[in-house]
Amino acid sequence: MPKALYPGSFDPITYGHLDIIERAEKIFDDLMVGIVENPRKETLLSFNERKELVKKSLEGENIQVSSVITFSGLLVNCAKQHNRESIVRGLRANSDFEYEFQMALTNRDLAPEIESVFLMTAGEYSFLSSSIVKEVKELGGDVSSFVPGVVERKLARKFSSAD
Ligand code: ADP
């Protein structure tokens, strides 16, 4: 199977992302996770914090990918640079579809040789997003069923301003 890139903000990584990675890893021989720095999107966690949490979460869940990289700029340029033939994205609801559809068609225009591949969310994670996790944690809720312990502890430090 072609080599694939799974890009995202991962601010922070959740069990929804990990489920997509675990399933994509079985489909593709070589899966790379790419953490994007998007100047238009403000993140709670820095580039390095997000990368560290992705790596630690993958380790903790025993999921092996070929590498975890960070990138900025056009997604298709990153995919080309790393010889990726596919871009993997996860789909939750209608709201994801509109955006992903637009992105996929734009990316196909920019790089017709790269195929976008969509994996449907697992039912149990269909409501789960990084934003919801941050909101719940900031308000003192339990997010242990949404994110690995290492992520939960990092968020706790962030919101207590110890980090
Ligand atoms: P982005 O800013 O690129 O949307 P995200 O980190 O929010 O970055 O998401 C990365 C990818 O993972 C997107 O394709 C998104 O739809 C998908 N995703 C996020 N959460 C889930 C989930 N709970 N189930 C399935 N896919 C998800």
Side-chain angles (χ1 to χ4, degrees):
M1 280 300 267
K3 293 181 181 164
L5 170 68
Y6 177 45
S9 307
F10 304 105
D11 186 44
I13 188 161
T14 69
Y15 282 133
H17 294 123
L18 286 163
D19 174 62
I20 296 288
I21 296 173
E22 194 169 19
R23 284 155 54 207
E25 201 274 322
K26 291 191 185 114
I27 300 172
F28 297 96
D29 294 331
D30 185 318
L31 181 70
M32 181 179 264
V33 178
I35 300 153
V36 66
E37 173 143 64
N38 182 346
R40 281 179 294 114
K41 202 168 172 177
E42 201 165 308
T43 56
L44 171 73
L45 302 163
S46 74
F47 225 15
N48 282 335
E49 287 173 323
R50 287 181 279 145
K51 184 177 185 184
E52 196 188 330
L53 289 179
V54 168
K55 283 187 157 175
K56 284 189 176 162
S57 300
L58 290 170
E59 249 170 58
E61 298 296 311
N62 235 333
I63 304 170
Q64 308 221 326
V65 295
S66 71
S67 53
V68 177
I69 57 151
T70 50
F71 72 99
S72 52
L74 275 181
L75 172 58
V76 288
N77 286 350
C78 171
K80 279 191 213 168
Q81 191 189 335
H82 292 280
N83 300 317
R84 305 286 114 179
E85 292 104 342
S86 302
I87 291 170
V88 175
R89 299 284 290 173
L91 280 182
R92 279 161 298 188
N94 272 349
S95 49
D96 274 347
F97 179 80
E98 281 297 321
Y99 175 72
E100 296 292 344
F101 187 59
Q102 197 179 9
M103 283 302 297
L105 293 191
T106 307
N107 287 337
R108 183 180 298 162
D109 233 47
L110 295 170
E113 70 279 19
I114 299 174
E115 195 63 63
S116 296
V117 177
F118 298 94
L119 296 187
M120 211 57 77
T121 182
E124 67 210 279
Y125 303 130
S126 59
F127 64 94
L128 184 53
S129 68
S130 300
S131 314
I132 284 285
V133 169
K134 285 181 281 192
E135 208 170 315
V136 171
K137 188 68 192 171
E138 190 170 14
L139 297 172
D142 176 11
V143 294
S144 59
S145 55
F146 306 149
V147 294
V150 65
V151 175
E152 186 170 17
R153 290 190 291 279
K154 181 75 184 179
L155 293 180
R157 290 200 297 278
K158 275 276 164 195
F159 291 126
S160 71
S161 304
D163 220 348

